[in-house]
Amino acid sequence: MPCDVTQTTLQDMTHVPPPAEELRLLDAELWQLDRRRAQLLARRAWLIATLQPPKSAPAAAPPRPETSAPGVQNLLLLLGGVLLTIAAMVFTLVSWGHLGIAGRALVLGAVTVAALGTPMLLLKRGLRSTAESVAGLGLALTVLDAYALYRVAFPGAGGAGYTASASAPLAVLWTAYGLLPRTAELRLPLPSALVAAQLPLFFWAIETDTGSYGITAALLATAAFDTAVALRVTAKSVRVVAVVGAYGLGSSGVLAAGWLSWTASGPSAAARAAALLLLAAAIALGAAWLGAGEKHALGLSLASGLLTVTALGGLARSVLPELWTVPAHLVCGMALLATIRVERLPEAVRRGAAWASGVVQALAVLWALPVVGVVALAPVGWAARAWTGTPPDARAALTVDAPWPPHAAAVPVVLAAVAAVLVLVVWGEVWRPRALTGALGLTWATVFTLPAVLELPYPVGLLIQGATTAGVIAAAAFLRQSTHEGTRLTALILAPATSVSLAFLSLASQTATLTVLSTLVALFAVASWQSRLAPFTAPTALVYAAALACAVGAAVDWQPSHTALLVLAVPVAAALIAPRADSRATVPIEATGAAAGLLAVGLAATDLPLLALVLALCGVITAGTAIRPDRRPVGYAAAALFVLATWVRLAAWDVGTPEAYTLPVTVPALIVGHLRRRRDPQTSSWTAYAPGLAATLLPSLLAAWGDPHWTRPLLLGLAALSLTLLGGGYNLQAPLLLGGSVLTLDALHELAPYIAQVTDALPRWVPPALAGLLLLALGATYEQRIRDIRRVRGILGKMD
């Protein structure tokens, strides 16, 4: 047989299904394989679970002991010692009278000696904890012995005096007992002796009636003793008691001495209080110098410096007028900076003194801040009484609504002194820039408050504040950005703050207001030539330009609506400047211009014709901004402004026809949509034409439904019919559906009376019957869909 015949015959005999049919067969086969694989995996998991041996329950863990044997031992010994001590106290206080003098002495002496001697035997046997408990009992018995001696031998002695006399021997006795060779291992006697040593000086001062100064001195002397013990003794338990006593008694003595210095009635009392404060300062300085840790040394030297300033400042307060109290403390605080140059002092002590000086200076600046706040905020009160008269001086201009703080004459001195210290003393790569920033702020505050403090004439005060504004702007302009960034930013913040206060302060006089606002506009406009200042100064210049426009309008007695036209010069200037300014200043300038535009709209709100004009001019300015490629979206705002201007103008003409308001929106919107479809044929008709058509069709349809006449419905129907025909002719969905829907609703409105007549003529059973038929149709459709779903499910089941 020839080869070509065989090949033709084989092609006719082989059945190759179409690609779609073959794909369906492959999917069915793969689905069967997946289903079978899932069944096999489930069976495998069940078999594995069946073949695994059952897990035995975990063995119960033994109960965990809630305490340790040493803990039980210590608790029992503590309770035993406490109970024995209580028994001894009951015996001494209650059963004492049943024995004679010899019996009393014999019993207490024997028990005390036994209690103090037993720990030696217990230490030999290695029972240290028991020895500590028994030693504690012995120490308590010595206190009871002292009390018994007081009741028998010294019943008439004062309680405070006897306590002082008894606590000193007890401290010595307990110290000696704790230092014996056989009892040196005990940890209780020496701390107890130090606790007893806290009492003699304090109770002796009370007994001798030395007054507050003597008691305070006793507290500080005891704190000094505790400090020495803490620095020299190595035993941890003793050091803990010494540190607690030093800080506790020292703090109490410092508070008492500070109160005595504050309430001192004369130089003599102030000198005694200052001596006590200097004693406390010496104790803290000695502790910092002689061996305290670095952190403790820094804190102690800081406390020593503050105590020294408080002592000397309190002494100066008693002899100087009250005005110079804060400057006197400030001078003392600045004097602490001299310790920085003393190389013999430890580094921590010098740092602590420097920090103490900084704290004093900071407190002095805080004391001066109320005066700065009054000078900065009080001029706002002139907004409610603008142009009512020029005040006699700069302070009178500030005290119209706010009281003048007392002792304000020293404020410039304090601020200037701290600024000088920051400039001359503070150095270092980290702290120098911060010091210069603070010095700039303090110098500004000094000059800012000087006119009111010195009660300079009102024009001179305005001139100084204006010069201050120019000065901080110049500082921001000439400071290098790399090394003085913080100082430059501070200057850029202080300049607007000063100018705002100056602007409000100038409201007292019309001439001052116009002069100051014009000067501020020029000053900030000139500063805006530097690109790094423009983001701050250019918007500020525009703000003051808007304020100047309002002031000019008020000066010539214009209505606010007419002044709005003058204010519009600010948005025009912003629109012209923004493209040419630095990129960082563009957005602030445009935002300020937009705010000025809103101000103009608000001023013109009471006059509808002028409001329409202002809105139209704002639209022109916005459209001019939208010409820039990066501001094209602003064109939507321009369109909205033009539409608002049209609506306001129509409202001013008392036009009530809605089409007069909607057609100015529809026509431009349709033109824009048509141009967009020409540029991009894939644009949907809903995107291009639906917004514009809906802007007129929907309001007109609502008006037609409430219109009793036939003219509006007829015209609306003709317009809707035209849109329907155009949409069908050009295959545009939006005009077709919108026009058809409006045409149908308009026709229903016209046929509504006749439909109502037909409805009244129908029997009452017809509406329920129609509703029932509708529900039956819906139910049948639902049932048919359920049946189809079940049929498909059955077919898929048979394919398994």
Side-chain angles (χ1 to χ4, degrees):
M1 180 180 293
C3 294
D4 56 343
V5 176
T6 305
Q7 184 177 1
T8 305
T9 305
L10 290 174
Q11 289 177 355
D12 294 339
M13 294 175 61
T14 304
H15 175 67
V16 180
E21 182 65 20
E22 185 177 1
L23 179 62
R24 187 186 65 79
L25 293 175
L26 289 176
D27 290 340
E29 189 68 24
L30 291 173
W31 183 80
Q32 290 288 346
L33 291 175
D34 290 340
R35 182 172 176 274
R36 183 60 179 166
R37 185 173 183 276
Q39 292 177 351
L40 292 175
L41 288 175
R43 182 66 179 174
R44 180 177 179 275
W46 182 82
L47 291 173
I48 291 174
T50 303
L51 293 176
Q52 286 181 350
K55 295 182 180 180
S56 58
R64 182 180 179 182
E66 296 182 358
T67 184
S68 61
V72 175
Q73 163 197 308
N74 294 332
L75 178 62
L76 293 176
L77 292 175
L78 177 63
L79 291 176
V82 170
L83 291 176
L84 289 175
T85 303
I86 294 174
M89 292 174 62
V90 171
F91 171 77
T92 304
L93 299 175
V94 178
S95 302
W96 184 255
H98 299 288
L99 299 174
I101 296 177
R104 300 171 187 173
L106 181 63
V107 170
L108 277 179
V111 173
T112 302
V113 171
L116 294 177
T118 303
M120 301 179 185
L121 301 176
L122 294 175
L123 289 174
K124 286 184 179 181
R125 296 177 176 270
L127 302 177
R128 180 174 178 177
S129 298
T130 307
E132 292 281 1
S133 299
V134 177
L137 174 62
L139 297 179
L141 287 174
T142 57
V143 176
L144 294 176
D145 290 339
Y147 175 74
L149 183 63
Y150 169 71
R151 292 294 301 271
V152 173
F154 308 102
Y162 185 78
T163 302
S165 301
S167 57
L170 285 177
V172 174
L173 175 63
W174 293 350
T175 302
Y177 180 73
L179 294 177
L180 291 175
R182 294 186 179 182
T183 58
E185 298 181 14
L186 297 175
R187 292 176 294 182
L188 190 59
L190 292 180
S192 301
L194 186 58
V195 171
Q198 311 298 308
L199 305 179
L201 288 179
F202 179 73
F203 283 99
W204 173 81
I206 295 176
E207 180 65 22
T208 56
D209 196 15
T210 57
S212 301
Y213 293 93
I215 295 175
T216 305
L219 291 174
L220 293 176
T222 307
F225 170 74
D226 291 335
T227 303
V229 172
L231 293 175
R232 297 303 179 188
V233 177
T234 58
K236 185 177 180 180
S237 58
V238 179
R239 292 189 65 183
V240 170
V241 175
V243 169
V244 172
Y247 278 107
L249 296 178
S251 300
S252 302
V254 166
L255 292 176
W259 176 254
L260 292 174
S261 176
W262 181 259
T263 58
S265 58
S268 176
R272 286 181 290 169
L276 293 174
L277 289 172
L278 290 175
L279 174 61
I283 295 171
L285 180 61
W289 196 343
L290 296 177
E294 184 177 356
K295 294 182 179 179
H296 290 282
L298 180 61
L300 289 171
S301 57
L302 171 63
S304 176
L306 294 177
L307 290 173
T308 303
V309 172
T310 304
L312 300 179
L315 186 60
R317 184 179 63 249
S318 64
V319 297
L320 294 177
E322 190 175 0
L323 172 66
W324 300 106
T325 298
V326 174
H329 284 80
L330 181 60
V331 170
C332 297
M334 292 178 177
L336 293 175
L337 295 175
T339 58
I340 300 176
R341 305 296 181 183
V342 181
E343 299 294 338
R344 296 178 56 187
L345 293 175
E347 177 65 21
V349 174
R350 288 184 288 169
R351 288 175 56 199
W355 277 104
S357 178
V359 170
V360 174
Q361 295 177 58
L363 292 175
V365 172
L366 287 177
W367 171 81
L369 284 183
V371 177
V372 180
V374 170
V375 176
L377 300 178
V380 178
W382 282 103
R385 51 174 61 86
W387 301 351
T388 56
T390 303
D393 55 64
R395 183 183 297 184
L398 300 175
T399 55
V400 177
D401 295 320
W404 185 246
H407 313 303
V411 167
V413 177
V414 170
L415 297 175
V418 177
V421 169
L422 291 177
V423 173
L424 300 176
V425 177
V426 181
W427 296 92
E429 184 179 355
V430 176
W431 287 101
R432 183 62 177 175
R434 301 176 183 176
L436 292 179
T437 301
L440 175 63
L442 293 172
T443 304
W444 167 83
T446 302
V447 180
F448 190 57
T449 57
L450 202 58
V453 171
L454 299 180
E455 298 184 83
L456 298 178
Y458 174 72
V460 176
L462 295 180
L463 183 62
I464 291 178
Q465 286 203 10
T468 305
T469 305
V472 290
I473 292 177
F478 291 105
L479 287 173
R480 289 181 297 175
Q481 186 172 359
S482 58
T483 57
H484 300 91
E485 180 63 22
T487 308
R488 191 178 67 85
L489 290 177
T490 302
L492 289 176
I493 294 173
L494 293 176
T498 311
S499 62
V500 168
S501 177
L502 174 61
F504 278 107
L505 193 62
S506 67
L507 292 177
S509 170
Q510 176 179 321
T511 304
T513 301
L514 297 176
T515 304
V516 166
L517 291 178
S518 301
T519 304
L520 290 176
V521 171
L523 179 62
F524 283 98
V526 171
S528 301
W529 286 104
Q530 279 205 356
S531 59
R532 59 178 182 173
L533 302 184
F536 299 89
T537 56
T540 307
L542 293 175
V543 169
Y544 286 124
L548 178 60
C550 295
V552 170
V556 297
D557 290 331
W558 282 2
Q559 295 295 326
S561 55
H562 293 82
T563 305
L565 298 176
L566 193 59
V567 174
L568 284 179
V570 176
V572 173
L576 295 175
I577 295 172
R580 298 169 177 80
D582 185 76
S583 58
R584 295 172 298 174
T586 301
V587 174
I589 291 174
E590 291 176 343
T592 307
L598 290 176
L599 175 61
V601 171
L603 292 173
T606 57
D607 191 336
L608 292 183
L610 278 177
L611 178 60
L613 177 60
V614 169
L615 289 172
L617 293 176
C618 290
V620 172
I621 298 170
T622 309
T625 303
I627 296 176
R628 294 159 48 192
D630 58 337
R631 292 293 185 267
R632 292 294 169 80
V634 181
Y636 295 105
L641 288 170
F642 284 129
V643 170
L644 287 175
T646 304
W647 288 355
V648 172
R649 172 53 63 182
L650 293 173
W653 288 338
D654 295 330
V655 176
T657 304
E659 289 77 10
Y661 295 89
T662 57
L663 285 176
V665 179
T666 295
V667 174
L670 292 178
I671 294 174
V672 172
H674 178 66
L675 294 177
R676 182 173 181 181
R677 275 186 61 85
R678 287 186 60 184
R679 186 173 62 253
D680 184 9
Q682 300 299 324
T683 302
S684 171
S685 63
W686 288 101
T687 303
Y689 300 124
L693 294 176
T696 293
L697 290 178
L698 296 180
S700 298
L701 181 61
L702 293 175
W705 272 80
D707 194 345
H709 305 288
W710 58 272
T711 306
R712 185 190 301 275
L714 176 60
L715 295 177
L716 179 61
L718 293 175
L721 178 60
S722 301
L723 289 175
T724 304
L725 296 177
L726 288 174
Y730 289 96
N731 296 324
L732 298 176
Q733 193 178 65
L736 178 63
L737 294 181
L738 286 175
S741 300
V742 173
L743 180 60
T744 302
L745 293 174
D746 187 63
L748 288 176
H749 172 262
E750 293 302 310
L751 296 176
Y754 304 102
I755 295 175
Q757 294 177 4
V758 173
T759 304
D760 293 338
L762 289 176
R764 295 184 179 273
W765 55 269
V766 172
L770 293 176
L773 290 175
L774 177 61
L775 292 176
L776 287 176
L778 293 175
T781 303
Y782 188 78
E783 182 181 7
Q784 183 179 1
R785 291 182 179 178
I786 294 176
R787 185 185 61 189
D788 294 341
I789 293 173
R790 290 176 178 174
R791 184 182 300 170
V792 173
R793 187 181 300 168
I795 293 173
L796 294 177
K798 292 179 181 180
M799 293 175 66
D800 295 340

